[in-house]
Amino acid sequence: MKINFKMSLVLSSLLLFSGCGSDDDDNETGTELEAEMEMEHEHGDDERVLFFYSASTNDHFAYSVESSELINLNSEMHGEENISQFNVLADKSGKPFVWLDSKGDSNATNDEEKIVMFNNDFQFDQNATWEDFIYLGHFHSEEDGEHLAAHSNDEFNVTAGAKYFALNRLNTYISEQNELKNSFDEILTETDVCGLYTNIDFEEDLINYYVVGTDGKLRIYDESKTFVDEVAITGSCTSENLGMSGVEEGVWVFLADTQKIYQVDSHDDGVFHIHTTSNVSEFVGEHDVEYFVSIKPNK
């Protein structure tokens, strides 16, 4: 079963995408300051869709950075089933996982980010079967906005064909992520890995790893896993409480207990810092969410 739908509500602009100020800003006019901030701290990652999920209420929301719109994934559209009904039918709450699908070729620029809503009790140290997740979805960017195409898990109950090979690729990716996490567990001698995000810049041919430890610190490593910098986000961290996503020159870090998103980046000076802190309510209204991820729509 596959569904496509979109419902949007325009929201106001967010501080998350504004620049950092300084003590000298008082001497500049508002227009001059805004132009300078936009020039120095422009975030080019404006195509990403932020995905929020509450396991306790089964509410799904997505926020389009490009259009500044909230995409309500809970409402019925044109008589079709909404995304939350997948979970009702499965009689389980879920937890979202971002899969970077290689599509079976060696050209990394063709890779596509997809959301897999796993069963809440699934552990990522094993291969997944079609019964371990609820749906698999990806966003399509079209003229009237982003649309989520969602495939229910029973479509993958096959022993051959495209869906069969897709599930194999998903398990390969899960295994690779486990190996990567284990490698950083060995590097972090004073703490354990709470969360990990890999940022790939194809234009600059760069890879950076953003690793949050259970001590609440975000550590940045280059492609060779050499330490670059660190930023204290919180006093402690658990993997169930954390969400991470890429943004140009840095990363977003979501903490469920504070219901905040921390944007950490470095700009031109190379010093990483908390650029902005935003409440989740700025994106989804007065809804508490437990999970946050993001993906880029498929053009």
Side-chain angles (χ1 to χ4, degrees):
M1 177 174 58
K2 177 181 177 181
I3 59 175
N4 290 272
F5 50 87
K6 176 180 180 289
M7 181 176 181
S8 300
L9 172 67
V10 178
L11 300 183
S12 59
S13 299
L14 302 177
L15 292 175
L16 183 63
F17 308 106
S18 64
C20 295
S22 70
D23 293 337
D24 297 330
D25 291 346
D26 293 337
N27 298 324
E28 303 180 71
T29 67
T31 303
E32 291 171 342
L33 178 58
E34 289 174 4
E36 178 181 319
M37 290 163 62
E38 183 175 343
M39 178 181 65
E40 292 184 355
H41 305 312
E42 180 182 6
H43 293 289
D45 195 17
D46 60 354
E47 299 176 351
R48 191 164 287 277
V49 175
L50 313 183
F51 184 90
F52 301 90
Y53 173 65
S54 171
S56 57
T57 63
N58 200 39
D59 285 331
H60 299 65
F61 298 99
Y63 181 88
S64 169
V65 175
E66 185 173 33
S67 62
S68 299
E69 289 182 338
L70 176 68
I71 307 169
N72 187 342
L73 303 178
N74 306 294
S75 301
E76 291 189 13
M77 297 293 292
H78 312 298
E80 296 176 334
E81 290 181 295
N82 63 67
I83 199 71
S84 61
Q85 285 182 316
F86 277 134
N87 282 10
V88 173
L89 293 173
D91 196 30
K92 290 183 178 180
S93 61
K95 55 183 177 183
F97 175 82
V98 175
W99 167 33
L100 185 60
D101 183 10
S102 68
K103 298 184 179 180
D105 61 44
S106 58
N107 185 357
T109 60
N110 289 333
D111 293 357
E112 180 184 358
E113 293 178 328
K114 299 175 180 177
I115 290 178
V116 184
M117 184 63 78
F118 278 99
N119 297 332
N120 197 262
D121 57 359
F122 179 74
Q123 300 298 315
F124 292 100
D125 57 356
Q126 58 185 307
N127 281 340
T129 71
W130 68 274
E131 295 176 297
D132 290 318
F133 65 95
I134 301 161
Y135 66 81
L136 185 153
H138 53 161
F139 283 92
H140 293 277
S141 184
E142 301 176 10
E143 289 185 0
D144 61 340
E146 284 73 28
H147 295 254
L148 177 65
H151 302 261
S152 61
N153 66 334
D154 56 8
E155 292 185 43
F156 296 83
N157 182 18
V158 293
T159 57
K163 296 281 195 310
Y164 171 80
F165 290 111
L167 189 57
N168 286 342
R169 294 198 305 273
L170 172 61
N171 280 319
T172 297
Y173 183 77
I174 291 174
S175 177
E176 291 171 347
Q177 293 304 297
N178 275 327
E179 292 178 6
L180 186 61
K181 176 185 178 298
N182 291 338
S183 70
F184 278 106
D185 272 327
E186 295 179 1
I187 293 173
L188 300 180
T189 57
E190 298 180 357
T191 186
D192 295 323
V193 174
C194 179
L196 168 67
Y197 184 83
T198 303
N199 187 48
I200 304 174
D201 187 333
F202 291 108
E203 292 184 1
E204 300 294 334
D205 194 24
L206 293 174
I207 294 178
N208 285 316
Y209 300 105
Y210 297 89
V211 185
V212 177
T214 52
D215 59 359
K217 292 182 179 179
L218 171 67
R219 295 168 176 84
I220 300 92
Y221 297 85
D222 64 17
E223 185 172 1
S224 64
K225 298 179 183 176
T226 300
F227 176 80
V228 175
D229 203 350
E230 72 177 23
V231 178
I233 302 293
T234 183
S236 62
C237 173
T238 61
S239 58
E240 296 80 10
N241 184 47
L242 177 74
M244 299 180 71
S245 167
V247 66
E248 187 174 359
E249 300 177 344
V251 68
W252 283 311
V253 178
F254 161 76
L255 295 178
D257 59 353
T258 65
Q259 290 293 291
K260 294 183 183 296
I261 298 175
Y262 306 84
Q263 180 178 323
V264 178
D265 53 26
S266 64
H267 307 313
D268 297 330
D269 56 11
V271 178
F272 282 86
H273 62 286
I274 297 178
H275 183 108
T276 53
T277 301
S278 300
N279 295 318
V280 170
S281 60
E282 297 177 50
F283 297 91
V284 301
E286 297 303 319
H287 299 276
D288 286 343
V289 298
E290 288 98 30
Y291 294 97
F292 162 79
V293 295
S294 79
I295 63 174
K296 288 186 176 181
N298 188 27
K299 295 294 186 179

